[in-house]
């Protein structure tokens, strides 16, 4: 049976702001009232404690309560004092305690006076009688408790102490907000105020200063100095506390000093401080002792004293096993090459109790019980659950890392090492990690370039649980993508997405396959989906930027690159992508600034120097560009584009002796390209060193005997120098030209035959030419190219038609910014000799 609701409940409830009974005890309100115009008025002539006849409202009544001196004498005759009620005289006597209000009847106004004198400004005359007990029954209150007191020296000292504590609290809050500068300033200000407090106490003879407060403030300031990297100043403050014994915990101070020595790489002093702190820590504080012992073991590792570190970690694992100490012990044994002890340390790690997964915490709750469901929903992702997940992820990371170390520490037989680890994990409480180790074994096969084994291992997970099947399919898709098997890459990417459609790695693999097939719209879709699931996926973001650049959506690329710089603010590749986009939008100045920003992080990158030089060259400032090209050549002397630009620059500026160096370097980088050798020989000719030029041409002719240009240069130099080898080179030139004509005829015949086989139409002119080909080969060859008749010409190379441009000239780089430099060969005058005295080596340049 339910209780009936109370009909009268709630009537006694009211807002606490309307409670005026305690206002008389509120010192702040008293001081505020006293400072107002009501508080500065003179007290009334009537009884101060009994209420006056004036109508002043709330503040008028309050000023009669606060801080007025009370008189015990009877008021003089003729004054308008309130008479006491007949029923409240005894009550007034009882309420004469300080601060107690008079009775209700005492608030009535008096109708007469004691002497019968007429009251002024009233319409009612007094009755003329008096009460004999009035004088004896009238009592007044003593000095008010709300009277403003003068602040003493002790109060001032307490106020200063409160200020110091407030500054320390503000410093702590600033440090929590990662504002170390403000935290340090507040801590130093607190220390200055604490010194002022000590001086004030000494001057006012208030006793000795509080050493605990002094030590506390100095300790906080020392901690802030250490957080800001001011190690020497922090060390001085810590030593000051230890020297004066300001705090009763010297062990913690020595731990802090040891940490400072450790950061300063003074490992011996840090080890000494840790051991002194370990001796001073009481036995009751076992947790702190274990942490100090872990610091000592870690210091031994930094000092490369792995045997001592292993001994320290062994004692810790025997008393209090934990993941961090167990992994460090395994690493020490691995470094010392003790394979058996490494496996024993791995077994000890598996003996540590494993936290249960979130599925084990799912309680069976009735759906109708709303309260239980709300509690379950509130605890599903609370701070304790988050802490448990974090510990579980750390434990999994430690076990997998240890398995990798043991598997690779098996004397080359990593397969046997992984098999042993998987067997040990399956026999422990970490059974669910065994499948993950199988995937790690497949990755180990990849490191050994054993792709078939890796693929076969990963294919075993196709019918496993969803999480493992998705991971295996993702890895398989990536493997096939690396092998350029796009069909299987698509297949396993789709399988991974079918298993887990919210896997960003699978979406990225699918986008990569579409990108390789130049299907940029689909690739963009998959990359965007991956970013919607995981906004921090750098791979998907980078590939999306490349896809949008292919589609020439430069404005969106800029927005994504700004996001990319926020995720990776020091990635030079992002800066180069931004500069490339700005180059496409003709914003050369900003592109240059982004390249310079990338160069600030990679000073030794020759490619970046060359790119900046190209940007400056586009602006027309060759004097500034050549400096960056020189730096590019200094950092990367094998870059053909850099060598090409430098050689072209010096040939244009008529400094062939400097161009020789870069042409020779290019000839060393690509010895199979004849153009660089010809440029070297041509530079020798330009400088007047005909002997070196002749030797270089002979070397070229020896290695490239079918090159007509080299033979022509040999004929020219032999003629100029009057060498007897001229006739030999002329005969060789005839043979080479005839051989090329025959090759050209054969090629044309083969092309026509191929066209006939394919069923193409051939014009009547071509048919006539094909029928007369066998009858008159000379006419056909004359129609293609007339050979040079050396016996009926004036001079060696004064033929009627110009020599065709060599094929290697058309194969030069197409991204040179400048046009083709001028040459000394005048093609307008067909009758002049091709190689005269003003021949220029720039003919060989783009």
């Amino acid at each position: 049976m339910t209780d009936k609701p109370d009909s009268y409940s709630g009537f006694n409830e009211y807002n606490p702001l309307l409670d005026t009974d305690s206002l008389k005890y509120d010192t702040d309100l008293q001081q505020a009232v006293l400072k107002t115009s009501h508080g500065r008025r003179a007290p009334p002539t009537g009884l101060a404690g009994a209420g006056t006849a004036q109508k002043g409202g709330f503040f008028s009544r309050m000023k009669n309560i606060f801080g007025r001196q009370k008189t015990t004498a009877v008021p003089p005759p003729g004054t308008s004092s309130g008479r006491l009620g007949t029923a409240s005289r005894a009550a007034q006597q009882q309420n004469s305690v300080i601060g107690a209000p008079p009775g209700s009847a005492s608030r009535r106004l008096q109708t007469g006076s004691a002497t019968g004198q007429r009251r002024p400004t009233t319409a009612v005359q007094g009755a003329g009688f008096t009460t004999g007990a009035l004088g004896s029954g009238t009592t007044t209150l003593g000095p008010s408790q709300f009277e403003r007191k003068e602040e003493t020296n002790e109060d001032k000292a307490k106020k200063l102490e409160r200020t110091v504590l407030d500054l320390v609290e503000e410093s702590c809050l600033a440090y929590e907000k990662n504002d170390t500068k403000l935290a340090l300033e507040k801590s130093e200000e607190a220390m200055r105020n604490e010194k002022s407090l000590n001086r004030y106490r000494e001057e006012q003879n208030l006793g000795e200063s509080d050493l605990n407060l002094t030590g506390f403030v100095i300790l906080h300031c020392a901690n802030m100095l250490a957080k800001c990297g001011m190690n020497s100043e922090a060390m001085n403050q810590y030593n000051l506390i230890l020297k004066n014994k300001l705090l009763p915990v010297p062990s913690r101070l020595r731990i802090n000093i040891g940490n400072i020595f450790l950061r300063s790489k003074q490992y011996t002093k840090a080890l000494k401080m840790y051991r002194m702190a370990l001796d001073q820590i009481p036995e009751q504080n076992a947790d702190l002792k274990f942490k100090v012992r872990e610091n000592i073991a870690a210091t031994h590792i930094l000092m490369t004293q792995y045997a001592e570190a292993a001994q320290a970690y062994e004692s810790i694992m025997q008393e209090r096993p934990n993941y961090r100490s167990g992994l460090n012990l395994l690493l020490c044994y691995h470094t010392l090459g003790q394979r058996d002890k490494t496996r024993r340390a791995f077994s000890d790690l598996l003996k540590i109790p494993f936290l249960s997964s979130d599925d084990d915490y799912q309680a069976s709750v009735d759906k109708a019980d709303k309260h239980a469901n709300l509690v379950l929903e509130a605890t599903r992702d609370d701070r304790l659950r988050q802490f448990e997940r974090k510990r579980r992820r750390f434990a999994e990371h430690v076990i997998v890392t240890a398995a990798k170390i043991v598997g690779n520490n098996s004397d080359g037989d990593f397969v046997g090492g992984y098999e042993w680890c998987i067997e040990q994990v399956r026999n422990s409480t970490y059974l669910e990690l065994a499948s993950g180790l199988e995937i790690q074994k497949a990755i180990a096969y990849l490191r050994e370039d054993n792709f078939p084994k890796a693929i076969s291992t990963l294919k075993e997970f196709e019918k496993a649980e969803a999480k493992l099947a998705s991971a295996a399919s993702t890895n398989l898709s990536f493997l096939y993508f690396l092998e350029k098997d796009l069909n299987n890459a698509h297949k396993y990417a789709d399988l991974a997405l079918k298993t887990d459609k919210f896997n960003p790695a699978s979406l990225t693999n699918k986008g990569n396959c579409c990108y390789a097939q130049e299907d940029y719209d689909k690739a963009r879709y998959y990359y965007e989906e991956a970013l919607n699931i995981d906004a921090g996926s750098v791979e998907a973001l980078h590939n999306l930027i490349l896809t949008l650049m292919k589609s020439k959506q430069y404005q969106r690329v800029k927005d994504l690159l700004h996001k990319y710089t926020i995720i990776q603010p020091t990635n030079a590749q992002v800066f180069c992508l931004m500069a490339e986009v700005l180059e496409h939008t003709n914003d050369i100045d900003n592109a240059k600034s982004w390249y310079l920003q990338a160069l600030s992080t990679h000073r030794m990158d020759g490619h970046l120097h060359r790119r900046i030089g190209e940007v400056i060259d586009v602006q027309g400032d060759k004097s500034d560009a050549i400096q960056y090209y020189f730096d590019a050549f200094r950092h990367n002397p094998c870059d053909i584009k850099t060598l090409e630009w430098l050689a072209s620059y010096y040939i244009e500026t008529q400094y062939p002796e400097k161009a020789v160096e870069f042409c020779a370097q290019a000839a060393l980088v690509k010895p199979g390209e004849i153009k660089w050798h010809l440029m070297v020989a041509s530079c020798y000719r330009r400088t007047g060193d005909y002997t070196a030029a002749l030797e270089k041409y002979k070397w070229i002719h020896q290695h490239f005997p079918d090159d007509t240009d080299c033979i022509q240069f040999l004929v020219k130099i032999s003629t100029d120098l009057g060498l007897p080898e001229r006739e030999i080179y002329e005969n060789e030139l005839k043979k080479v030209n005839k051989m090329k004509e025959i090759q050209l005829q054969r090629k044309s015949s083969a092309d026509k035959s191929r066209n006939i086989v394919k069923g193409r139409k051939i014009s009547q002119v071509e048919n006539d030419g094909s029928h007369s080909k066998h009858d008159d080969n000379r006419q056909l060859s004359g129609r293609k190219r007339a050979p040079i008749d050396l016996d009926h010409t004036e001079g060696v190379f004064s033929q009627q038609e110009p020599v065709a441009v060599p094929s290697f000239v058309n194969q030069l780089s197409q991204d040179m910014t400048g046009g083709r430099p001028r040459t000394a060969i005048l093609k307008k005058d067909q009758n002049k000799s091709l190689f005269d005295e003003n021949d220029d080596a720039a003919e060989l340049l783009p």
Side-chain angles (χ1 to χ4, degrees), residues 456-475:
S456 62
T457 304
L458 291 173
K459 283 184 177 180
E460 296 176 359
F461 294 94
E462 291 182 2
K463 296 182 180 180
E465 59 180 358
K467 184 178 179 181
L468 292 175
S470 177
S473 299
T474 302
N475 290 331

Side-chain angles (χ1 to χ4, degrees), residues 3 26 164 413 534 538 672:
D3 296 336
D26 192 348
V164 172
D413 185 16
D534 183 8
V538 178

